[in-house]
Amino acid sequence: MVRFGDTDAAGVVHFHELFRWCHETWEESLEKYGIALKDIFPTNEINTSQLDVALPVIHCEANYFQPLYVGDNINIELNPEKLNEASFVLRFRLVKDGENICSINIKHVSINPITRKKCTLSKQINMWLYQSNLSY
């Protein structure tokens, strides 16, 4: 549900909130498929070298079709797509009362967290990409 703090001075949901909600949807999907967030994202622990890969965002885009206001309820659909051995895109569709409100795409690339060079996706992310697409 859209909260007052999610809106701007015009009473419309601010665009960055939609990106935040989409990222939270991705995090929930990872957890649903048994992936601990601390195994994917850096933490404040001293030794973060346990991460096989880092997954920076290299591109994001959004198309807005209708505004959202305080009290609106929305559903967020996630359809991830593996692009190649080193990258994937998270495709989101935000829906209110059966109508498209927004579409958002967030592209990630896999890099070695130490060298910062592109590398293959982790086994966990590959498994999540595969499993999460079985239900569609």
Side-chain angles (χ1 to χ4, degrees):
M1 177 187 299
V2 175
R3 305 286 184 200
F4 175 73
D6 301 325
T7 62
D8 60 18
V12 176
V13 170
H14 198 265
F15 74 92
H16 79 274
E17 295 296 338
L18 300 172
F19 280 92
R20 180 179 60 83
W21 294 340
C22 287
H23 200 281
E24 289 171 354
T25 298
W26 178 38
E27 292 175 21
E28 289 171 9
S29 179
L30 290 169
E31 290 176 319
K32 175 183 173 184
Y33 288 96
I35 299 174
L37 297 181
K38 67 182 177 98
D39 293 339
I40 301 297
F41 303 110
T43 66
N44 63 351
E45 295 175 8
I46 294 173
N47 181 13
T48 58
S49 63
Q50 81 277 4
L51 294 178
D52 296 335
V53 299
L55 299 168
V57 172
I58 60 168
H59 180 80
C60 59
E61 63 184 355
N63 291 300
Y64 304 100
F65 309 118
Q66 295 183 39
L68 289 170
Y69 302 98
V70 172
D72 285 345
N73 287 306
I74 61 168
N75 290 317
I76 301 176
E77 300 171 2
L78 168 58
N79 295 296
E81 178 186 346
K82 184 174 179 176
L83 299 174
N84 56 47
E85 292 305 311
S87 64
F88 61 96
V89 63
L90 303 171
R91 299 187 191 284
F92 298 93
R93 189 172 142 230
L94 288 75
V95 178
K96 180 183 92 172
D97 298 328
E99 293 187 45
N100 287 335
I101 299 300
C102 176
S103 65
I104 291 179
N105 296 324
I106 303 173
K107 184 177 177 184
H108 291 264
V109 68
S110 179
I111 63 170
N112 179 294
I114 297 168
T115 67
R116 310 302 283 181
K117 296 199 185 287
K118 194 184 298 187
C119 65
T120 58
L121 294 167
S122 70
K123 181 179 177 182
Q124 287 178 305
I125 290 295
N126 272 312
M127 186 59 70
W128 170 77
L129 286 164
Y130 174 76
Q131 290 177 339
S132 64
N133 279 298
L134 290 178
S135 59
Y136 295 108

